[in-house]
Amino acid sequence: MYSFIEPTQSNQSLGDDGILFVRNEGIFDTMVKTSLLLASMIIAAALIPIQSSFSSPRDLDLIIYPDGSTHISTEIDVDPFVTDYELNLFGSTIDNLVVVGDNEFLLDTDIIHDSVLIQTFGSSIISIEYDIHDLVSKQGKLWTFSLDSPSNFTLLLPQNSAIVGMTNLPINMEIINDQNKLTLPSGKTEIDYLFSNTISNPIPDTETETNYFSYAIIGGVIVIVLIGAVIIIRTKQKNLKSSTVGDVKPLPISDKNNILDIETIFKLKPDLREDDQELVKFIFNNGGKALESELRKKFLQPRTTMWRAVKRLEREGVIEIEKKDLQNLVKLRKNMEEEE
Amino acid sequence: MKKLAVFAIIVLIFGTISPSLVDHAYGQSDPSILLRIAVQADKQIVNQLDRVYGDQIPNNLQILYDKGHRAVYSLDKSLPNDIEKAKQDFLLAMNSFMQISRTISQSSEKVIVVTVSDKSNRHLTSEIDRLEKYVKTLEKISKKYNTNVESDFIKIYDLIQELRIQINDGYGTYDDVINEIKIILDSVKNDIRESAIKQKSDFIKRFFDRLLNQVDKILTHAQDNDVDQIQIDKASALILEIRELLSKNQINDAKVVFAELKGLMEKIGYPIRIT
């Protein structure tokens, strides 16, 4: 039984200010049949995914080969009540196209420019694989992958490739057989990459890091204990000896005579950053020169950071860089005072 | 009843919204990948600049690099708390690095689009890898249909092996071997298709049967709407022909006649669709 809207004046008096109050408890049941509403909403909710899934790729996976050709594999939901399905390909230079329907049934295809007409024979899911040569271009040593994807997709980059630019935020990344595999969102994507002999490993994967995390903790504890023991032993030794032994070897007199002393350098360059001053001190104590790699080891800095610091000191005129056996030899300048 | 209705509505609303929430969450599942990619790109750019310019980096590239490097530094600081800032930093860094590498490349060579026909840019190992992947796909399908083509696949894999040896040695008749593989593959594909059609003939017949019944109904409707009787008679004749061909298991011929019927139906303004 459904209740009906009843004016409150039938059993209640008007308020003092004359406002007419209406009981609203039964409005919902009264105006709309609840069961009908529910049924229609359930049907609507059920239909939404079906409609949106038709003709949209379930999966889209791309593999880029070292020559820039790309293997595409995708699965698409299609209307099982039509004879043909026309699919837009990602280009017109297509090789090795294979389309299979339900139960791996090989389907007939006809490629027309950059689309393929597939005789689906009532299949509801079709799997498509092909190679394409339109997605990657090369300029000099730089390779550029471009795609306007209708859905999220995965992209497996070639071995020894390194990404040097991209226009989209990746959703995920993992390592498969030493190759970077990105998951990217739908829409336009451009990725620039290079092949480099200097890449020994692809970008480390979080999972791998997680796997080694417990080992790292154990290793870290052992290292800390060992360092502690070494420090205690050395402190005891120091107490026994009358003279202390510094970490830095004493400089040859000839070198000292050739370069400015550290205080003069800092007086001439009062604006040097603290970390740069530390670098200069180390180079000075090292005989006025040091390899960039030695600086990195000493100050535990990544290559890029140290390279930037060295470049900064060079711009300041404090040091000069020489190439020695394919390495950068950083030397304190002798004629800094004259320039000033 | 009212409580049930409210509950159902909440469930439905949540159910409708939830897929987008899941996507959103997935998109932010591991923001540290942004830093890993950016740091790797930074290192590569430094190597590139060092290799190409040494100590004489052009000012515009130096400015771009500084901008990108600062963005990587900021990205490192933004993670893991400020994801939105991290995303902005990532895009800024990668955009700067992209501009640098493109500028360096533009100064060296013209754009070469990789195409099949571009033999000068040919990478035989990639070509064979692709071919082998294609062969494996066909082999998988052939097993499904129990086709008698195992010997063909053995021959193809032998030829692929031969090609790889030739590439390692640095000389050989690559194109001849590749063409031989392609000829065998065409034959294999035909065998698979024939076998697939035999096994699936019942399925195809049922499909055509359903389709032709629908076309019959459409033709009745067209007749009621005064469509030219000659065209309707022609369509009916084609339907009979298809049924006859299907009864003789001549699937391919039936498909050809069906294509004619389809064209005719479109011409009279009643395209075939079962839905």
Side-chain angles (χ1 to χ4, degrees):
Chain A
M1 281 298 281
Y2 297 101
S3 57
F4 293 91
I5 301 170
E6 288 179 351
T8 50
Q9 65 264 40
S10 63
N11 48 17
Q12 284 177 21
S13 62
L14 289 175
D16 292 338
D17 50 359
I19 296 170
L20 179 67
F21 289 96
V22 178
R23 190 169 50 138
N24 59 6
E25 281 172 4
I27 286 178
F28 191 78
D29 288 343
T30 307
M31 292 183 72
V32 186
K33 286 186 177 179
T34 315
S35 55
L36 189 67
L37 179 76
L38 270 176
S40 59
M41 287 184 79
I42 289 165
I43 291 165
L47 281 175
I48 288 165
I50 294 171
Q51 292 301 325
S52 63
S53 67
F54 272 142
S55 306
S56 59
R58 290 172 154 213
D59 297 305
L60 179 58
D61 302 308
L62 282 76
I63 301 168
I64 301 181
Y65 288 94
D67 65 351
S69 57
T70 311
H71 180 79
I72 294 181
S73 51
T74 182
E75 268 193 359
I76 300 176
D77 289 315
V78 292
D79 187 344
F81 299 106
V82 294
T83 52
D84 307 312
Y85 177 74
E86 190 175 353
L87 173 74
N88 288 324
L89 304 169
F90 291 115
S92 54
T93 50
I94 306 297
D95 267 343
N96 304 336
L97 175 75
V98 178
V99 185
V100 291
D102 296 343
N103 300 317
E104 305 263 332
F105 181 49
L106 191 65
L107 301 176
D108 284 343
T109 56
D110 191 9
I111 296 174
I112 307 151
H113 190 54
D114 59 354
S115 65
V116 59
L117 190 68
I118 305 162
Q119 294 189 21
T120 53
F121 277 128
S123 290
S124 55
I125 302 167
I126 53 172
S127 301
I128 301 154
E129 291 200 28
Y130 59 97
D131 297 324
I132 188 165
H133 307 265
D134 301 314
L135 300 185
V136 177
S137 60
K138 189 186 173 199
Q139 187 174 28
K141 294 188 172 179
L142 184 73
W143 300 75
T144 301
F145 164 82
S146 312
L147 181 72
D148 189 357
S149 172
S151 64
N152 291 0
F153 63 101
T154 64
L155 180 70
L156 186 66
L157 288 158
Q159 275 185 335
N160 291 332
S161 64
I163 299 166
V164 289
M166 63 194 297
T167 56
N168 261 8
L169 289 161
I171 295 169
N172 199 10
M173 189 176 72
E174 56 189 315
I175 311 295
I176 294 178
N177 297 331
D178 290 340
Q179 291 170 267
N180 289 321
K181 186 181 183 184
L182 297 170
T183 305
L184 292 151
S186 59
K188 283 188 179 175
T189 299
E190 275 191 27
I191 296 174
D192 284 0
Y193 63 92
L194 292 165
F195 286 99
S196 170
N197 295 327
T198 57
I199 302 167
S200 53
N201 291 308
I203 303 165
D205 195 17
T206 316
E207 270 184 38
T208 319
E209 284 171 6
T210 314
N211 289 339
Y212 290 110
F213 189 64
S214 52
Y215 297 109
I217 291 171
I218 297 164
V221 170
I222 294 167
V223 168
I224 288 165
V225 170
L226 285 173
I227 290 170
V230 169
I231 288 169
I232 291 164
I233 292 164
R234 291 195 68 172
T235 312
K236 282 181 180 175
Q237 283 175 345
K238 274 181 186 177
N239 290 337
L240 289 169
K241 288 179 184 175
S242 57
S243 61
T244 57
V245 180
D247 287 329
V248 182
K249 291 175 187 173
L251 289 170
I253 296 167
S254 59
D255 279 345
K256 272 189 173 176
N257 290 338
N258 286 339
I259 54 174
L260 299 171
D261 69 74
I262 199 78
E263 283 166 14
T264 314
I265 293 172
F266 293 156
K267 208 177 282 178
L268 288 168
K269 301 287 175 188
D271 295 325
L272 281 182
R273 290 159 47 153
E274 267 183 34
D275 47 351
D276 289 354
Q277 285 181 5
E278 290 301 313
L279 275 176
V280 173
K281 272 184 201 170
F282 177 81
I283 299 167
F284 180 83
N285 289 332
N286 203 44
K289 56 187 175 183
L291 289 170
E292 202 181 304
S293 56
E294 286 175 327
L295 296 174
R296 280 203 305 274
K297 280 177 198 163
K298 172 70 184 170
F299 293 96
L300 298 174
Q301 292 286 347
R303 181 187 290 269
T304 321
T305 313
M306 187 50 68
W307 181 74
R308 300 286 311 139
V310 167
K311 283 281 170 194
R312 207 162 42 235
L313 285 171
E314 189 189 34
R315 276 201 299 273
E316 287 287 337
V318 178
I319 56 135
E320 52 194 0
I321 305 169
E322 274 181 25
K323 287 280 177 193
K324 187 185 173 189
D325 299 327
L326 298 172
Q327 293 194 72
N328 282 343
L329 179 66
V330 183
K331 293 166 73 175
L332 287 176
R333 288 184 64 172
K334 294 168 189 171
N335 55 351
M336 199 166 57
E337 201 168 20
E338 290 163 20
E339 276 186 8
E340 287 300 307
Chain B
M1 184 66 187
K2 202 163 68 181
K3 280 180 184 172
L4 183 71
V6 172
F7 175 73
I9 288 166
I10 290 167
V11 169
L12 285 170
I13 290 169
F14 182 76
T16 312
I17 295 168
S18 58
S20 60
L21 291 176
V22 169
D23 276 350
H24 188 60
Y26 177 55
Q28 297 176 354
S29 60
D30 186 10
S32 68
I33 58 164
L34 302 181
L35 182 63
R36 283 188 279 145
I37 295 171
V39 168
Q40 176 83 338
D42 191 327
K43 282 179 185 170
Q44 286 303 313
I45 293 296
V46 169
N47 285 343
Q48 252 196 312
L49 288 171
D50 198 32
R51 185 176 50 78
V52 178
Y53 300 107
D55 298 338
Q56 309 295 318
I57 300 169
N59 200 36
N60 59 332
L61 295 187
Q62 184 66 55
I63 291 166
L64 272 172
Y65 174 75
D66 288 343
K67 193 174 159 188
H69 186 69
R70 273 198 303 273
V72 175
Y73 183 77
S74 172
L75 168 63
D76 190 14
K77 296 286 169 200
S78 304
L79 290 172
N81 299 323
D82 193 348
I83 303 295
E84 285 310 311
K85 177 75 169 56
K87 285 178 181 176
Q88 285 171 17
D89 289 333
F90 174 80
L91 289 175
L92 180 65
M94 296 310 276
N95 185 269
S96 302
F97 297 151
M98 191 178 241
Q99 284 182 60
I100 294 170
S101 45
R102 286 185 181 184
T103 308
I104 293 171
S105 299
Q106 273 164 9
S107 62
S108 53
E109 288 176 42
K110 286 181 180 176
V111 177
I112 302 162
V113 178
V114 180
T115 61
V116 185
S117 55
D118 190 357
K119 299 284 181 189
S120 62
N121 210 38
R122 199 171 177 190
H123 190 276
L124 275 166
T125 310
S126 296
E127 207 170 322
I128 296 163
D129 287 345
R130 286 200 312 272
L131 194 62
E132 191 166 6
K133 195 169 179 62
Y134 180 55
V135 171
K136 281 180 179 165
T137 305
L138 290 180
E139 191 183 18
K140 193 177 153 197
I141 295 168
S142 75
K143 280 177 182 165
K144 181 89 184 168
Y145 291 105
N146 300 319
T147 47
N148 192 21
V149 287
E150 287 87 358
S151 56
D152 290 327
F153 281 112
I154 290 167
K155 175 73 178 164
I156 290 170
Y157 285 125
D158 284 348
L159 289 169
I160 287 173
Q161 185 66 20
E162 189 184 323
L163 261 177
R164 291 197 191 279
I165 291 166
Q166 284 184 7
I167 291 166
N168 274 343
D169 293 346
Y171 65 91
T173 50
Y174 312 124
D175 285 328
D176 291 346
V177 181
I178 289 172
N179 282 338
E180 198 180 339
I181 292 171
K182 284 184 175 170
I183 288 166
I184 302 172
L185 274 179
D186 283 342
S187 156
V188 167
K189 276 170 75 176
N190 280 335
D191 286 350
I192 292 172
R193 190 167 284 114
E194 285 302 316
S195 178
I197 284 173
K198 274 176 199 166
Q199 289 195 22
K200 283 280 181 177
S201 62
D202 286 346
F203 171 78
I204 293 167
K205 278 178 192 171
R206 277 202 304 276
F207 175 75
F208 270 120
D209 203 36
R210 216 164 59 228
L211 201 64
L212 294 177
N213 285 340
Q214 185 64 24
V215 177
D216 269 335
K217 284 179 193 169
I218 294 171
L219 281 176
T220 309
H221 183 61
Q223 202 167 21
D224 293 343
N225 288 336
D226 296 331
V227 172
D228 186 359
Q229 189 59 41
I230 296 168
Q231 301 292 349
I232 288 172
D233 290 345
K234 197 176 171 184
S236 299
L238 289 174
I239 290 171
L240 282 176
E241 193 180 343
I242 293 167
R243 289 193 192 282
E244 199 177 329
L245 288 166
L246 288 171
S247 68
K248 291 176 190 169
N249 219 19
Q250 293 175 321
I251 308 285
N252 284 335
D253 292 337
K255 275 165 63 182
V256 173
V257 181
F258 176 71
E260 194 182 338
L261 174 65
K262 209 173 154 190
L264 178 64
M265 295 301 284
E266 276 172 9
K267 191 177 154 191
I268 63 172
Y270 288 84
I272 300 171
R273 279 191 72 85
I274 281 184
T275 46

